[in-house]
Amino acid sequence: MKTVRTVDELRQELRLRRAQGTGAVGLVPTMGYLHEGHASLLRQARKACGTVVMSIFVNPLQFGPNEDYETYPRDEARDLALAAREGADLVFIPSVQEMYPKENRSQIIVSRLTSKLCGASRPGHFDGVTTVVSKLFNLVQPDFAFFGMKDAQQVAVLKQMVFDLNMNVEIVPCPIIREQDGLALSSRNVYLSGEERRQALVLSRSLREARSAFEEGRLETAGELRSLLTEVISSSPLADIDYAEVLTFPELEPVEEDAPLSGVEGEIIMALAVRFGRTRLIDNIVFTPKEVPACV
Amino acid sequence: MKTVRTVDELRQELRLRRAQGTGAVGLVPTMGYLHEGHASLLRQARKACGTVVMSIFVNPLQFGPNEDYETYPRDEARDLALAAREGADLVFIPSVQEMYPKENRSQIIVSRLTSKLCGASRPGHFDGVTTVVSKLFNLVQPDFAFFGMKDAQQVAVLKQMVFDLNMNVEIVPCPIIREQDGLALSSRNVYLSGEERRQALVLSRSLREARSAFEEGRLETAGELRSLLTEVISSSPLADIDYAEVLTFPELEPVEEDAPLSGVEGEIIMALAVRFGRTRLIDNIVFTPKEVPACV
């Protein structure tokens, strides 16, 4: 595994590998502080691609002024060990100066999709994401790019960007990875106190309960599911709900509040963002109401 | 020369050519109704590249609601003849439906640069330009893309976009091509009445006079040059000035009004937009105050 820190080295390494005809290139963009979720992305990339590139970059552009850019957890040595263990060929760890050598004036803006869910609570966040991801796409020119479905809205937004701008890459969404007790893996889990960590289980539990209630026919409508999610989450005294939504996926459009979800074509997302103290956690489940829901 | 109308055909043709190892790919993006200016871009591309692709697409996204999208002149047969004569290998003429098969939600926005000059009078124009050009870049994946300096601001904006987003293409600016009497070639010149056409010569004349006055040391400052430009243009009764500006190039930042331009590092642009009846014409000259100015 090679570690490169500059755009020039990255391009040079990729040129070499492409000249050797090492097949499809897969990109796993991350902000580091890697966990099993990232490892699963690397494994999926490894299966599909001759060259696996991981990027590690905490992108200032996607953090709001009062967010955790400065304190976002970092552990490069551990990240490199994990990347090597999972068979990455190339790890790109640029500095902020390398990614934004001059004041950045160009942004990719995806409308509509980015005004919902996390976009509503984190203005500008997705503009930062689409901008840095398009830079990474241009630098790496991957055939496939792997993203975790924990950030389901990010997947939806990036698919829209790739479609609209005719980008030559396929976005591959990968399943959410969870702790044994159900908590979705996140680099931000490290912020949680013991008690917050315990109460944070209410996210996955509320999703599981809503899914079961729908599967078993006890609840039928978006309104009912949303009420159940809110009720279950509110049973945790430390939980401060940012949103608990039921929308179409990947369009993220509202569905009729009082009509049976079984009338909806395509997929539905139940999506949560909940604060525990100063930590904001997200979780979701995507399912097809006309079929048996997928596992949380 | 092959003419293709769909994204799939375009990609297929380019794959074939790349597999044959035909060298660098040059792209000449146009809105059609081709003239000698476009021909000069094709010739420059032909000199530098093994594969020359011309696109012809009147992009609705870059026209304002009260602009001339509907009436923009079109003549496909003549365009194809010119492209063939100048040695294009591939002409891409997509429909609007082919370029925007669903409602487009993704835009590339370049800030600052796009608020000046034409950006101020044509809000959203450059967002439409950067968006469609990035789509064409993703579709064609050219090594070089050729643009006329008549649209100098477009060149500046696209260079900024390519730099900021790490796009793998070099923007090649090509000189303005003029009629014998000095009028800069433009597809929109066809809109002019005989009298408007005659009076429109004031654009290039004002630029030539300002350049001479600066060269000969009669005028020294941006303020003086701007006054001369305005005075000369205003001598044409049909001329309605949108702007007559003196800015740095390619940054498009103001320069000190009353300081000698010879103190400015780098290049300066004198840029004009003037209406004659319902037709808006632009022209410019870029020069380096510390050196002898380039020819208009």
Side-chain angles (χ1 to χ4, degrees), chain A residues 91-104:
Chain A
V91 180
F92 177 47
I93 315 189
S95 65
V96 172
Q97 172 67 21
E98 187 70 17
M99 286 298 276
Y100 303 111
K102 295 185 195 169
E103 187 203 341
N104 180 64

PDB file of all heavy atoms in Angstrom, chain A residues 91-104:
ATOM      1  N   VAL A  91      -3.516   5.232  -0.485  1.00  0.00           N
ATOM      2  CA  VAL A  91      -4.241   6.108   0.428  1.00  0.00           C
ATOM      3  C   VAL A  91      -3.808   7.540   0.150  1.00  0.00           C
ATOM      4  O   VAL A  91      -2.607   7.832   0.114  1.00  0.00           O
ATOM      5  CB  VAL A  91      -3.991   5.738   1.903  1.00  0.00           C
ATOM      6  CG1 VAL A  91      -4.765   6.671   2.828  1.00  0.00           C
ATOM      7  CG2 VAL A  91      -4.402   4.299   2.164  1.00  0.00           C
ATOM      8  N   PHE A  92      -4.782   8.385  -0.080  1.00  0.00           N
ATOM      9  CA  PHE A  92      -4.520   9.801  -0.392  1.00  0.00           C
ATOM     10  C   PHE A  92      -4.903  10.618   0.836  1.00  0.00           C
ATOM     11  O   PHE A  92      -6.063  10.627   1.242  1.00  0.00           O
ATOM     12  CB  PHE A  92      -5.354  10.190  -1.610  1.00  0.00           C
ATOM     13  CG  PHE A  92      -5.248  11.642  -2.021  1.00  0.00           C
ATOM     14  CD1 PHE A  92      -4.011  12.276  -2.135  1.00  0.00           C
ATOM     15  CD2 PHE A  92      -6.402  12.374  -2.320  1.00  0.00           C
ATOM     16  CE1 PHE A  92      -3.914  13.606  -2.532  1.00  0.00           C
ATOM     17  CE2 PHE A  92      -6.313  13.709  -2.730  1.00  0.00           C
ATOM     18  CZ  PHE A  92      -5.073  14.325  -2.827  1.00  0.00           C
ATOM     19  N   ILE A  93      -3.899  11.250   1.455  1.00  0.00           N
ATOM     20  CA  ILE A  93      -4.144  12.062   2.663  1.00  0.00           C
ATOM     21  C   ILE A  93      -3.636  13.477   2.408  1.00  0.00           C
ATOM     22  O   ILE A  93      -2.539  13.839   2.838  1.00  0.00           O
ATOM     23  CB  ILE A  93      -3.406  11.491   3.892  1.00  0.00           C
ATOM     24  CG1 ILE A  93      -3.574   9.964   3.972  1.00  0.00           C
ATOM     25  CG2 ILE A  93      -3.908  12.133   5.172  1.00  0.00           C
ATOM     26  CD1 ILE A  93      -3.058   9.352   5.257  1.00  0.00           C
ATOM     27  N   PRO A  94      -4.412  14.274   1.719  1.00  0.00           N
ATOM     28  CA  PRO A  94      -3.931  15.622   1.408  1.00  0.00           C
ATOM     29  C   PRO A  94      -4.114  16.577   2.591  1.00  0.00           C
ATOM     30  O   PRO A  94      -4.974  16.352   3.445  1.00  0.00           O
ATOM     31  CB  PRO A  94      -4.843  16.043   0.256  1.00  0.00           C
ATOM     32  CG  PRO A  94      -6.135  15.334   0.528  1.00  0.00           C
ATOM     33  CD  PRO A  94      -5.766  14.020   1.187  1.00  0.00           C
ATOM     34  N   SER A  95      -3.324  17.620   2.614  1.00  0.00           N
ATOM     35  CA  SER A  95      -3.550  18.715   3.557  1.00  0.00           C
ATOM     36  C   SER A  95      -4.664  19.607   3.000  1.00  0.00           C
ATOM     37  O   SER A  95      -5.035  19.499   1.825  1.00  0.00           O
ATOM     38  CB  SER A  95      -2.269  19.536   3.708  1.00  0.00           C
ATOM     39  OG  SER A  95      -1.962  20.161   2.461  1.00  0.00           O
ATOM     40  N   VAL A  96      -5.172  20.493   3.841  1.00  0.00           N
ATOM     41  CA  VAL A  96      -6.170  21.464   3.378  1.00  0.00           C
ATOM     42  C   VAL A  96      -5.553  22.342   2.290  1.00  0.00           C
ATOM     43  O   VAL A  96      -6.180  22.632   1.264  1.00  0.00           O
ATOM     44  CB  VAL A  96      -6.685  22.321   4.558  1.00  0.00           C
ATOM     45  CG1 VAL A  96      -7.561  23.457   4.062  1.00  0.00           C
ATOM     46  CG2 VAL A  96      -7.465  21.453   5.540  1.00  0.00           C
ATOM     47  N   GLN A  97      -4.302  22.714   2.496  1.00  0.00           N
ATOM     48  CA  GLN A  97      -3.585  23.538   1.526  1.00  0.00           C
ATOM     49  C   GLN A  97      -3.480  22.835   0.163  1.00  0.00           C
ATOM     50  O   GLN A  97      -3.571  23.467  -0.883  1.00  0.00           O
ATOM     51  CB  GLN A  97      -2.183  23.847   2.092  1.00  0.00           C
ATOM     52  CG  GLN A  97      -1.218  24.528   1.159  1.00  0.00           C
ATOM     53  CD  GLN A  97      -1.655  25.952   0.818  1.00  0.00           C
ATOM     54  OE1 GLN A  97      -2.434  26.570   1.535  1.00  0.00           O
ATOM     55  NE2 GLN A  97      -1.158  26.479  -0.308  1.00  0.00           N
ATOM     56  N   GLU A  98      -3.311  21.522   0.193  1.00  0.00           N
ATOM     57  CA  GLU A  98      -3.186  20.760  -1.058  1.00  0.00           C
ATOM     58  C   GLU A  98      -4.531  20.694  -1.790  1.00  0.00           C
ATOM     59  O   GLU A  98      -4.571  20.768  -3.020  1.00  0.00           O
ATOM     60  CB  GLU A  98      -2.683  19.342  -0.734  1.00  0.00           C
ATOM     61  CG  GLU A  98      -2.340  18.486  -1.937  1.00  0.00           C
ATOM     62  CD  GLU A  98      -1.090  18.945  -2.685  1.00  0.00           C
ATOM     63  OE1 GLU A  98      -0.293  19.723  -2.117  1.00  0.00           O
ATOM     64  OE2 GLU A  98      -0.917  18.539  -3.856  1.00  0.00           O
ATOM     65  N   MET A  99      -5.605  20.587  -1.045  1.00  0.00           N
ATOM     66  CA  MET A  99      -6.924  20.493  -1.678  1.00  0.00           C
ATOM     67  C   MET A  99      -7.461  21.868  -2.067  1.00  0.00           C
ATOM     68  O   MET A  99      -8.195  21.999  -3.044  1.00  0.00           O
ATOM     69  CB  MET A  99      -7.914  19.800  -0.735  1.00  0.00           C
ATOM     70  CG  MET A  99      -7.688  18.299  -0.614  1.00  0.00           C
ATOM     71  SD  MET A  99      -7.900  17.413  -2.202  1.00  0.00           S
ATOM     72  CE  MET A  99      -9.675  17.170  -2.215  1.00  0.00           C
ATOM     73  N   TYR A 100      -7.123  22.879  -1.276  1.00  0.00           N
ATOM     74  CA  TYR A 100      -7.592  24.246  -1.567  1.00  0.00           C
ATOM     75  C   TYR A 100      -6.403  25.198  -1.566  1.00  0.00           C
ATOM     76  O   TYR A 100      -6.242  25.989  -0.637  1.00  0.00           O
ATOM     77  CB  TYR A 100      -8.641  24.678  -0.526  1.00  0.00           C
ATOM     78  CG  TYR A 100      -9.839  23.753  -0.438  1.00  0.00           C
ATOM     79  CD1 TYR A 100     -10.062  22.958   0.692  1.00  0.00           C
ATOM     80  CD2 TYR A 100     -10.752  23.677  -1.484  1.00  0.00           C
ATOM     81  CE1 TYR A 100     -11.164  22.109   0.770  1.00  0.00           C
ATOM     82  CE2 TYR A 100     -11.857  22.830  -1.410  1.00  0.00           C
ATOM     83  CZ  TYR A 100     -12.052  22.049  -0.283  1.00  0.00           C
ATOM     84  OH  TYR A 100     -13.137  21.216  -0.210  1.00  0.00           O
ATOM     85  N   PRO A 101      -5.552  25.110  -2.599  1.00  0.00           N
ATOM     86  CA  PRO A 101      -4.314  25.910  -2.597  1.00  0.00           C
ATOM     87  C   PRO A 101      -4.582  27.415  -2.694  1.00  0.00           C
ATOM     88  O   PRO A 101      -3.770  28.209  -2.243  1.00  0.00           O
ATOM     89  CB  PRO A 101      -3.557  25.398  -3.820  1.00  0.00           C
ATOM     90  CG  PRO A 101      -4.558  24.694  -4.659  1.00  0.00           C
ATOM     91  CD  PRO A 101      -5.651  24.223  -3.756  1.00  0.00           C
ATOM     92  N   LYS A 102      -5.703  27.784  -3.310  1.00  0.00           N
ATOM     93  CA  LYS A 102      -6.119  29.198  -3.290  1.00  0.00           C
ATOM     94  C   LYS A 102      -7.526  29.224  -2.729  1.00  0.00           C
ATOM     95  O   LYS A 102      -8.178  28.202  -2.600  1.00  0.00           O
ATOM     96  CB  LYS A 102      -6.139  29.773  -4.706  1.00  0.00           C
ATOM     97  CG  LYS A 102      -4.785  29.848  -5.371  1.00  0.00           C
ATOM     98  CD  LYS A 102      -4.928  30.555  -6.702  1.00  0.00           C
ATOM     99  CE  LYS A 102      -3.682  30.341  -7.560  1.00  0.00           C
ATOM    100  NZ  LYS A 102      -3.900  30.796  -8.945  1.00  0.00           N
ATOM    101  N   GLU A 103      -8.013  30.419  -2.443  1.00  0.00           N
ATOM    102  CA  GLU A 103      -9.387  30.562  -1.966  1.00  0.00           C
ATOM    103  C   GLU A 103     -10.313  29.873  -2.984  1.00  0.00           C
ATOM    104  O   GLU A 103     -10.326  30.245  -4.161  1.00  0.00           O
ATOM    105  CB  GLU A 103      -9.732  32.049  -1.848  1.00  0.00           C
ATOM    106  CG  GLU A 103     -11.076  32.303  -1.212  1.00  0.00           C
ATOM    107  CD  GLU A 103     -11.633  33.681  -1.613  1.00  0.00           C
ATOM    108  OE1 GLU A 103     -10.845  34.542  -2.053  1.00  0.00           O
ATOM    109  OE2 GLU A 103     -12.856  33.858  -1.485  1.00  0.00           O
ATOM    110  N   ASN A 104     -11.068  28.889  -2.535  1.00  0.00           N
ATOM    111  CA  ASN A 104     -11.949  28.154  -3.443  1.00  0.00           C
ATOM    112  C   ASN A 104     -13.168  28.989  -3.820  1.00  0.00           C
ATOM    113  O   ASN A 104     -13.866  29.495  -2.962  1.00  0.00           O
ATOM    114  CB  ASN A 104     -12.418  26.855  -2.789  1.00  0.00           C
ATOM    115  CG  ASN A 104     -13.329  26.071  -3.705  1.00  0.00           C
ATOM    116  OD1 ASN A 104     -12.906  25.628  -4.774  1.00  0.00           O
ATOM    117  ND2 ASN A 104     -14.583  25.916  -3.331  1.00  0.00           N
TER     118      ASN A 104
END
